[in-house]
Amino acid sequence: MALFRRRAPKVTRVATDGKVEERKTLNLRGSKVEIRRIEEAPAKPKKQKKARATKPQPAAPKAKNGLSTSRVSGRRPVDDEIIVPVESARKQMLVSVSGSQTQVVILEGPVLVEHYVAREDTSSVAGNIYLAVVRNVLPGMEAAFLDFGASKNGVLYASDVKVPPGAKGKRIEQVLKEGDEVLVQVTKDAMGAKGARLTGLPSLPGRYLVLVPDSENVGISRRLPDDDRTRLREIINKVRPEGFGVIVRTAALHATAEELAADISRLLRDWEKIQEAARGGGAPRLIHQEPELLIKVIREHFTPDFRKLLIDDRDAHDKVVRYLQATAPDLVAKVQYYEDPIPLFDRYHVDDQLKKALDRKVYLPSGGHLVIDRTEALTVIDVNTGKFVGSSNLEETVLQNNLEAAEEIGRQLRLRDIGGIIVIDFIDMESEENQQKVLRRLKETLARDKTRTQVFDVSHLGLVEMTRKNVSAGLLEHFSRKCEHCAGRGIIIDESFRPRTAPINQASAEVEA
């Protein structure tokens, strides 16, 4: 076909004496024809000198509460929009106790969305307050390692150190010395080779709010409606004790002034006991212990929008009832003792869903699937269309698959309790509008998650980066152990690359001969 391609006309432009002459040569029936066009040259706009842009210098980082640090904040989320979660009207909580293990699950309809497990041999220490002793201070890391009684020392960063009077702006080695006793709280359990994360700015969580000593800040959950935020702020300003900050939780949506005041009084008594116990010295030792997992989950999650709470153990049932009678009497009627001969988790198909949640691959309703891989640094989630072929066009097929995947990813992160850095490889979409639709669906699903998350915009490689607060071990870590043969890599090395050598005794015999 190249033989029949029309040749483009030859065009020449010449500028002389303020005029532009354009010459165009055409081939018409074997003859060359030249066409000339002369125009006045446009006036050249005067170039304005641009002011030399000065590169803005980053401001010196400021620690919110702790000592000064050289760390600079990195990327920010794509926006600060707060998406109010649409709560399910069919939420239920199930508690199953078997021997030394207690499991708590949350269902939205028939779907399992969250799971918590506590064992006597692997209990979490997050939230506990200790009197710790400084073992070594590392100025180059702007951190100190403290012995608080665990097998591994915990790490305390400069930004989490309580600033003594007159020490503002000082470095960590000027405030902490080896052998000092410090009151600290565990914010993150030890994981793998890393020790626990500590803070010298403890806080006491209650049913409706969190009490922060040595602070004057008042924060209210941004998930609450504006009218309720205004009402709660007015109440807190009246009942907040001087020298204490308060963070109002989502559970305080329908709380009265009397209930909030009672919660503050209860936490104040706990703080006075902590201070009294810490005066005795003798670090390292435990000063204040968080309640067991069952009560902690009830405190954090059980709200009036739950239909019921089923417990298959009489002692656990009585314990929950006593706690709710003291903190939220209106919820006691929703607590039921499960006596059916069919096991509680079998009746609600919890075991089947847990087994699927431990698998690497997650199937989507339309035929696509997710592949979830954990690494030392981050978690990678790959989205595939699988058997889903759509009906209209490729872009619409990819959009529908990605929307399904975004919703399922939000559920899997909660159920598997995956924390840290998460990278999601959605199927590539050409339309930026469709990319925003998928991001919006992901954020709407994550809005139901009580754990703090941050979602960033789609990167140049088409990846979505996000973070989820990492507090303790996830579902997979609770119900698995490393393979003894491959040490957790999932492969066994083929050692056929080694050259075959004769045994030593045989080789020495040949030399003697």
Side-chain angles (χ1 to χ4, degrees):
M1 296 298 293
L3 296 175
F4 301 97
R5 187 177 300 155
R6 293 182 63 184
R7 293 183 179 180
K10 183 179 179 181
V11 180
T12 305
R13 285 180 180 166
V14 180
T16 57
D17 300 331
K19 297 181 180 180
V20 177
E21 182 180 348
E22 181 180 278
R23 301 173 185 173
K24 183 183 296 184
T25 305
L26 303 174
N27 288 325
L28 294 177
R29 298 180 181 180
S31 302
K32 288 186 178 181
V33 178
E34 186 177 79
I35 301 174
R36 294 184 180 183
R37 180 185 299 167
I38 300 176
E39 297 177 349
E40 294 289 337
K44 294 183 179 179
K46 294 183 179 179
K47 293 184 178 179
Q48 297 180 353
K49 292 184 178 180
K50 295 183 179 179
R52 188 175 180 182
T54 57
K55 188 176 181 181
Q57 298 295 327
K62 296 179 180 179
K64 289 184 178 179
N65 296 305
L67 300 174
S68 60
T69 172
S70 62
R71 297 292 292 269
V72 180
S73 58
R75 284 178 61 190
R76 294 295 182 190
V78 61
D79 54 41
D80 293 325
E81 180 186 9
I82 300 299
I83 299 177
V84 179
V86 179
E87 298 290 351
S88 171
R90 301 174 56 196
K91 290 176 66 174
Q92 300 179 87
M93 186 178 291
L94 312 179
V95 179
S96 178
V97 181
S98 57
S100 61
Q101 178 173 279
T102 301
Q103 296 187 76
V104 185
V105 300
I106 297 176
L107 301 176
E108 291 181 358
V111 180
L112 177 64
V113 294
E114 293 190 42
H115 174 273
Y116 303 90
V117 59
R119 297 172 178 165
E120 292 182 357
D121 55 341
T122 57
S123 58
S124 171
V125 297
N128 290 355
I129 297 177
Y130 296 86
L131 187 64
V133 58
V134 179
R135 292 305 181 195
N136 53 347
V137 181
L138 304 178
M141 296 293 294
E142 294 182 356
F145 286 92
L146 282 68
D147 179 10
F148 64 99
S151 57
K152 295 179 182 177
N153 291 341
V155 60
L156 176 66
Y157 289 102
S159 58
D160 296 324
V161 175
K162 183 179 178 180
V163 182
K168 194 170 183 179
K170 291 187 177 180
R171 291 176 56 84
I172 188 170
E173 66 271 19
Q174 297 172 320
V175 176
L176 294 181
K177 305 295 181 184
E178 187 174 338
D180 288 352
E181 293 186 349
V182 184
L183 189 68
V184 295
Q185 184 176 39
V186 179
T187 59
K188 183 174 163 183
D189 284 326
M191 297 182 190
K194 298 179 181 178
R197 176 79 179 266
L198 307 175
T199 178
L201 309 166
S203 58
L204 299 178
R207 172 68 183 169
Y208 301 112
L209 48 84
V210 178
L211 190 67
V212 186
D214 301 319
S215 174
E216 295 292 339
N217 298 327
V218 175
I220 299 179
S221 173
R222 298 173 68 183
R223 297 185 179 188
L224 295 173
D226 291 339
D227 294 341
D228 290 287
R229 285 167 54 86
T230 303
R231 177 183 68 86
L232 291 170
R233 188 176 296 277
E234 293 175 355
I235 296 174
I236 293 300
N237 289 335
K238 295 178 181 177
V239 300
R240 180 179 67 88
E242 187 177 354
F244 289 85
V246 173
I247 301 173
V248 181
R249 315 174 73 158
T250 312
L253 176 61
H254 304 292
T256 64
E258 292 75 16
E259 290 173 328
L260 294 173
D263 212 14
I264 290 179
S265 299
R266 187 162 46 248
L267 296 175
L268 278 175
R269 289 194 297 269
D270 291 341
W271 179 244
E272 290 172 359
K273 293 177 182 177
I274 291 171
Q275 287 187 307
E276 183 65 28
R279 293 190 186 101
R285 61 188 178 91
L286 177 65
I287 299 295
H288 171 76
Q289 186 172 11
E290 275 283 273
E292 59 182 288
L293 175 79
L294 175 58
I295 300 301
K296 190 186 297 186
V297 174
I298 298 293
R299 182 187 69 195
E300 304 285 338
H301 297 275
F302 192 55
T303 52
D305 58 339
F306 276 81
R307 289 180 59 195
K308 56 185 173 181
L309 166 59
L310 297 177
I311 307 175
D312 64 2
D313 181 78
R314 176 60 70 179
D315 292 338
H317 172 270
D318 296 342
K319 193 179 300 181
V320 170
V321 169
R322 287 195 298 269
Y323 171 76
L324 290 177
Q325 285 175 341
T327 58
D330 55 318
L331 297 179
V332 174
K334 296 188 176 186
V335 182
Q336 302 176 19
Y337 176 58
Y338 183 80
E339 299 182 276
D340 199 285
I342 301 176
L344 179 60
F345 279 12
D346 287 349
R347 174 172 288 278
Y348 288 89
H349 306 285
V350 173
D351 291 336
D352 295 337
Q353 297 186 63
L354 280 176
K355 187 175 181 181
K356 291 180 180 179
L358 293 170
D359 198 0
R360 178 171 172 258
K361 184 178 289 188
V362 180
Y363 291 96
L364 302 176
S366 63
H369 63 268
L370 311 174
V371 178
I372 304 175
D373 285 321
R374 303 286 298 272
T375 69
E376 184 74 17
L378 48 82
T379 299
V380 181
I381 303 178
D382 187 31
V383 180
N384 299 288
T385 54
K387 298 179 181 179
F388 181 49
V389 295
S391 57
S392 56
N393 57 65
L394 178 59
E395 185 72 10
E396 187 65 24
T397 300
V398 171
L399 174 62
Q400 294 303 320
N401 192 85
N402 282 343
L403 289 174
E404 273 190 8
E407 192 163 344
E408 185 62 29
I409 287 171
R411 186 180 80 91
Q412 290 294 327
L413 294 180
R414 293 171 63 193
L415 177 55
R416 300 176 184 229
D417 197 14
I418 297 175
I421 301 173
I422 301 160
V423 177
I424 307 171
D425 185 11
F426 285 106
I427 304 172
D428 292 339
M429 293 174 289
E430 298 293 336
S431 170
E432 186 175 346
E433 181 182 356
N434 290 343
Q435 293 179 4
Q436 295 304 317
K437 287 181 180 178
V438 173
L439 281 178
R440 176 78 183 185
R441 179 67 62 86
L442 178 62
K443 292 177 183 178
E444 288 174 348
T445 308
L446 292 174
R448 303 191 188 104
D449 193 354
K450 299 285 187 182
T451 304
R452 187 178 64 207
T453 58
Q454 286 185 316
V455 180
F456 297 84
D457 205 353
V458 180
S459 71
H460 294 296
L461 296 178
L463 305 175
V464 174
E465 302 166 2
M466 64 168 291
T467 62
R468 186 173 184 270
K469 188 177 181 182
N470 202 355
V471 178
S472 58
L475 181 68
L476 185 62
E477 287 76 15
H478 279 298
F479 294 103
S480 67
R481 55 187 175 87
K482 284 187 177 181
C483 173
E484 300 173 356
H485 299 281
C486 69
R489 289 191 66 186
I491 57 174
I492 298 178
I493 302 297
D494 181 5
E495 297 189 2
S496 60
F497 63 87
R498 293 186 177 183
R500 295 185 178 181
T501 56
I504 296 177
N505 54 1
Q506 180 180 347
S508 59
E510 291 177 356
V511 171
E512 292 176 359

